[in-house]
Amino acid sequence: MLKAGGAGLLGLLAWGLRQPLLMGQEGLLWDPLPGLVIGLAWRGSLPGALLASLAPLAGGIFSGGPQVAALWVEAGLAWGLLRSRRMLGTTAIFRELMIVPMSGGVTVVGAVVEQILSMNTPFSSGFATLWIGRAFGVMAVAPLVVNLGRNFFVRLDRRLFFGWVFLAVLLVVVGRVAATPGLDPRGGLALGLIPIVILFWQAMRFGVTGTSLGCFLVALLAGLGWVDGNAGLLSFQPGMLALGLTGVLGTAHGMATLRDEREGIRAWTDAAARTQQVVFWRWQRGSGSEWDRPEAARQIGLAAGRRGWRAEK
């Protein structure tokens, strides 16, 4: 019950974040609610995802009803897909990369449901902007929700921690300067590439957990710049801008996932090499009776003999 209540509060927080993002001249650039709901379902908290989906009712039953139904459909699809037997048997890297079909596929169904229940023709005018805004929100928020509580800070030493904080602060500062309304459009767009470079560096240095916050910050900065009327951002159509930024975040998540996979393989091979070296050293000395992990020796083809260790036949 406590976790469900927390999910409900997160839903209201995402709804509150959605309101200032709606104040732009061209409407909503991205929607944080689908990202929160799919992220909670991804963590296995389907009741929490359904409860967080009720936040649009704060704006009225008739106006928020279609949005709630669409979010429920997205939560059910995400929860069922990610917990199917076939998906549970896949590798960690494949499950991490499921963010791509989650943002691009599940949100299509949600957008269609919302249009139908709003008495609009499916795939009619405005569908692409609605869908891409939901996809952008999933790419920005869902990984952050999924990776909360993974002991990211525990695994960082002091040097890495301050490096991560420095890059996050630098990303925010440069992003806000680039989104200044009175800035020259070309100069602002050129300066806006720096946060993307910082995001890619975070992906290569800190992996999925460290990149999740960077992706959210990039999306938030873009949304605030859109609301402030930044000339460089407003030179793009809403759907095209959201699509481009969704591709940027997807690339960062892919880089971070590959980095984590590489680090996991390296840690496993280092541990295996150390184990084999110790076992082989004791075998050569003929002091197998001192070896206190015979199961580790058997894993590399050694068996205990009367004098030390011998190779199994």
Side-chain angles (χ1 to χ4, degrees), residues 184-301:
D184 176 69
R186 293 184 178 180
L189 289 177
L191 193 60
L193 295 176
I194 297 178
I196 297 177
V197 175
I198 296 174
L199 177 63
F200 288 162
W201 176 251
Q202 286 182 325
M204 294 185 293
R205 192 72 179 94
F206 305 112
V208 172
T209 308
T211 307
S212 300
L213 178 62
C215 289
F216 174 74
L217 292 176
V218 168
L220 183 61
L221 291 171
L224 293 177
W226 183 261
V227 171
D228 292 340
N230 179 265
L233 295 179
L234 291 177
S235 63
F236 297 94
Q237 293 295 324
M240 294 301 299
L241 177 60
L243 181 62
L245 290 174
T246 301
V248 168
L249 300 192
T251 302
H253 285 305
M255 294 169 61
T257 302
L258 292 174
R259 181 263 181 194
D260 283 353
E261 181 75 3
R262 182 194 63 193
E263 290 296 317
I265 293 175
R266 187 174 69 176
W268 182 86
T269 53
D270 287 348
R274 286 194 298 269
T275 300
Q276 183 173 355
Q277 182 180 11
V278 171
V279 173
F280 184 74
W281 174 72
R282 293 201 172 188
W283 177 47
Q284 290 289 79
R285 283 185 57 201
S287 56
S289 59
E290 299 176 5
W291 180 246
D292 56 356
R293 294 184 60 194
E295 68 282 358
R298 283 194 294 270
Q299 290 177 1
I300 61 171

Side-chain angles (χ1 to χ4, degrees), residues 42-43 92 95-96 143-155 207-210 212 260:
W42 198 330
R43 290 183 68 119
R95 290 193 295 272
E96 292 287 352
L144 183 63
V145 175
V146 172
N147 291 302
L148 287 176
R150 282 197 176 181
N151 297 324
F152 168 66
F153 297 107
V154 175
R155 293 185 282 111
V208 172
T209 308
S212 300
D260 283 353

